[in-house]
Amino acid sequence: MSGAPVTVRVQRDDFDLAAEVRALSASRHDIGAVVTFSGLCRDEAGTLSALELEHYPGMAEAEIARICRQAIDRFGLQAATAIHRYGKILPGENIVLVVTASPHRQAAFDGANFIMDFLKTSAPFWKKEHATDGSAGGWVSAKDADDGARDRWSKS
Amino acid sequence: MARVDLVYFAWVRERIGKAEETLELPDSVVTAGDLLGYLKTLGEEYVAALEHENVIRVAINQEHVDHHEPIAGAREIALFPPMTGG
């Protein structure tokens, strides 16, 4: 098992992409590639006023850390950071950040992709929509496409 | 009888009407699936929350398990819908 550093945070506040990339690569000279993925809240063509994100404290952090460790071992990443927000999030705001580092680009791309696919299907977070017309918000349904995206990693 | 903390999330929490509770479970409740069946005997709110049992996810001591998993030794059991983070 690799001792590559994993940083996981579940927080209400926003995050800063540049600061997280700096923190991950600070005082190292062996990293050749850094990939960042950030997921934002869409307004769904003006119908959505906010998302409310609920999570399972403790398990959320543990699951994300477990997924990051798997990605490090599978792709030989040099470091991984994952930050997920909870609470009320407005259209245009950040929801999730994944940063991966590796000697060459492919591992960092694949690692970030892998982390997101598993995060979506096994990290305990749930989104509730608030509508701009004031109607009662509904819980977002899990998508079969997300299960498919996760399962493709077990085919290769 | 085993005493266990139950925690609920998202629409499971809303339908049951509480986020957590501590229950004494009868010895007949052996697996996570047995627990779902037992809870449905406790009231209409549980029936409404757990109506589609196959979609309900279970975590024991904050780790995912399937419905066949024994719950012996569980301190905390969580019930929730499929996850929609990211």
Side-chain angles (χ1 to χ4, degrees):
Chain A
M1 187 146 131
S2 164
V6 171
T7 302
V8 172
R9 295 204 304 276
V10 175
Q11 61 189 39
R12 188 178 287 278
D13 294 338
D14 196 9
F15 46 76
D16 179 341
L17 273 72
E20 298 305 331
V21 170
R22 264 199 308 279
L24 172 140
S25 58
S27 70
R28 299 183 62 151
H29 301 101
D30 57 338
I31 292 172
V34 174
V35 164
T36 67
F37 169 84
S38 46
L40 284 71
C41 176
R42 289 183 302 267
D43 73 352
E44 303 293 1
T47 63
L48 185 137
S49 64
L51 283 177
E52 190 87 37
L53 268 129
E54 180 171 333
H55 73 295
Y56 184 177
M59 181 171 172
E61 292 87 343
E63 273 297 305
I64 296 173
R66 189 182 59 77
I67 295 163
C68 287
R69 282 263 158 246
Q70 282 182 343
I72 283 169
D73 290 346
R74 178 162 177 165
F75 302 102
L77 302 180
Q78 293 169 308
T81 296
I83 302 173
H84 203 302
R85 294 181 64 198
Y86 65 89
K88 199 168 197 175
I89 295 178
L90 304 178
E93 291 187 350
N94 291 319
I95 299 173
V96 62
L97 173 69
V98 170
V99 187
T100 53
S102 58
H104 303 282
R105 72 183 183 285
Q106 206 61 53
F109 274 125
D110 289 347
N113 212 354
F114 176 98
I115 290 169
M116 276 307 301
D117 283 346
F118 280 85
L119 187 152
K120 286 191 84 80
T121 52
S122 69
F125 289 86
W126 302 271
K127 291 192 185 102
K128 190 176 199 176
E129 295 179 332
H130 292 268
T132 45
D133 66 4
S135 61
W139 291 96
V140 172
S141 297
K143 296 183 184 70
D144 290 342
D146 288 335
D147 288 339
R150 173 200 61 201
D151 293 345
R152 71 198 159 111
W153 296 102
S154 57
K155 286 180 187 127
S156 52
Chain B
M1 300 282 270
R3 192 177 172 84
V4 65
D5 294 331
L6 296 169
V7 289
Y8 311 121
F9 293 97
W11 52 255
V12 172
R13 171 180 55 74
E14 288 184 344
R15 290 178 192 177
I16 290 175
K18 57 184 104 172
E20 57 187 61
E21 62 186 325
T22 301
L23 290 182
E24 299 279 350
L25 301 178
D27 293 338
S28 59
V29 177
V30 176
T31 66
D34 294 341
L35 172 64
L36 299 181
Y38 171 72
L39 289 172
K40 283 158 84 172
T41 68
L42 299 182
E44 281 306 308
E45 65 274 32
Y46 293 93
V47 175
L50 308 176
E51 180 187 1
H52 302 289
E53 256 183 57
N54 56 323
V55 308
I56 301 295
R57 306 300 171 92
V58 181
I60 296 180
N61 301 339
Q62 304 200 346
E63 286 189 22
H64 293 294
V65 298
D66 70 34
H67 289 193
H68 305 296
E69 189 79 8
I71 62 166
R75 298 181 308 277
E76 179 175 284
I77 301 178
L79 305 182
F80 44 79
M83 290 143 282
T84 55

